Amino acid sequence: MIIAEPTKYGSGVTLFGDYWDLRSLHDTVCHLGEGSPLSENMTDLVLSLADDIEMAGKKGGETRVFGDNEHDRVTYYGVSVIWPTFLFIVGLLHWSAGSKKVSMDHQADLCRLSACVEDALTAY
């Protein structure tokens, strides 16, 4: 599951997930970020988030351990994005999903991203 937390000073959000969560999210962002209706500049912006997600999934970003005891402890990898960029990209992804064929997995990832926005904003 993708988890979002506001950054230390509230300037952005950090998305956390395990390898499989981040891989699925990367696939969704790439699928929705390429081609119509997005212009070339918009595609580059969206795919930069996909690159950051991919790097985090390959253990290139932040690492955090969640859980209270040995039975539910899990290590998640994270990527931080500033709010203006993140909100704009999530909006572009929703807009793109309105004009493309998307799978249920892509829909689930997109809904999870929207929930992450709400959770992180509320937490801050």
Side-chain angles (χ1 to χ4, degrees):
M1 176 197 304
I2 300 293
I3 298 172
E5 294 182 346
T7 56
K8 184 175 181 179
Y9 297 107
S11 63
V13 62
T14 303
L15 298 173
F16 290 100
D18 66 14
Y19 171 80
W20 297 106
D21 296 329
L22 294 175
R23 182 176 166 184
S24 175
L25 184 59
H26 175 264
D27 179 57
T28 297
V29 172
C30 284
H31 175 74
L32 294 175
E34 294 175 336
S36 181
L38 303 179
S39 70
E40 184 178 333
N41 292 337
M42 289 184 220
T43 297
D44 291 344
L45 181 64
V46 172
L47 293 181
S48 71
L49 176 63
D51 290 342
D52 291 342
I53 292 169
E54 183 179 32
M55 291 302 287
K58 293 181 177 179
K59 304 175 185 166
E62 297 180 43
T63 304
R64 182 141 174 229
V65 177
F66 291 89
D68 297 328
N69 60 50
E70 63 192 55
H71 300 292
D72 69 349
R73 191 165 295 140
V74 63
T75 301
Y76 275 6
Y77 308 103
V79 59
S80 295
V81 186
I82 61 171
W83 276 118
T85 302
F86 185 63
L87 294 174
F88 186 65
I89 290 173
V90 171
L92 287 175
L93 293 173
H94 277 282
W95 182 49
S96 180
S99 64
K100 287 186 170 194
K101 183 175 179 173
V102 292
S103 69
M104 296 295 263
D105 289 332
H106 296 314
Q107 286 284 348
D109 285 337
L110 198 53
C111 287
R112 189 68 212 137
L113 270 182
S114 297
C116 285
V117 168
E118 183 178 348
D119 293 345
L121 283 172
T122 303
Y124 186 69

